[in-house]
Amino acid sequence: MLTGIRLKEKTRLFAPKMEALAHPHRLAILHILAYGELPLHEIVANLDEAENLVSHHIKKLLTTGWVGKRIEGRQTYYFMKERGFFELFRMLVETPFYRNTLTKQLK
């Protein structure tokens, strides 16, 4: 179990990533991208929100590492990045909560 400075360091680095998820539009974007890579106009159509609002939320997800982008010609495609989820998993996997509770639920 981490304590003291090591615990604070680990959580301090991960807190901005978690803050980025604390919005319904961003969670919806991740849900949409979990089905595959999409260009902005398709994400906007799925959310039924203004393009500038969706772009704002995608930018936050990009800067915190939850989403990546790929440019092809004039089109930009967005996709989920695995690293953020692996970091969250790695933070929980070392705990009794994971070993005693989550592993039973996943069986």
Side-chain angles (χ1 to χ4, degrees):
M1 175 171 58
L2 293 176
T3 58
I5 293 173
R6 289 183 57 211
L7 177 61
K8 288 178 185 175
E9 284 178 15
K10 190 169 192 172
T11 55
R12 181 183 52 82
L13 294 173
F14 202 69
K17 285 185 168 298
M18 296 307 290
E19 287 176 15
L21 297 181
H23 194 286
H25 288 102
R26 293 184 206 131
L27 289 172
I29 291 167
L30 287 179
H31 176 80
I32 291 166
L33 293 178
Y35 288 91
E37 156 182 291
L38 290 173
L40 178 63
H41 72 273
E42 288 188 36
I43 298 169
V44 168
N46 279 291
L47 284 176
D48 194 28
E49 295 289 346
E51 185 172 323
N52 63 335
L53 178 67
V54 175
S55 292
H56 166 77
H57 289 297
I58 287 176
K59 183 178 179 182
K60 182 74 171 178
L61 293 169
L62 279 165
T63 59
T64 53
W66 292 105
V67 168
K69 69 179 180 180
R70 176 181 67 81
I71 299 171
E72 184 177 300
R74 297 179 63 205
Q75 194 76 262
T76 301
Y77 292 87
Y78 297 94
F79 57 90
M80 281 180 52
K81 290 176 80 175
E82 305 90 8
R83 185 180 175 122
F85 295 96
F86 286 131
E87 289 174 6
L88 176 60
F89 176 76
R90 194 170 48 229
M91 191 165 80
L92 291 175
V93 78
E94 300 166 356
T95 66
F97 175 74
Y98 175 82
R99 287 190 302 273
N100 300 331
T101 306
L102 291 180
T103 54
K104 291 176 186 170
Q105 296 296 322
L106 296 173
K107 288 182 181 181

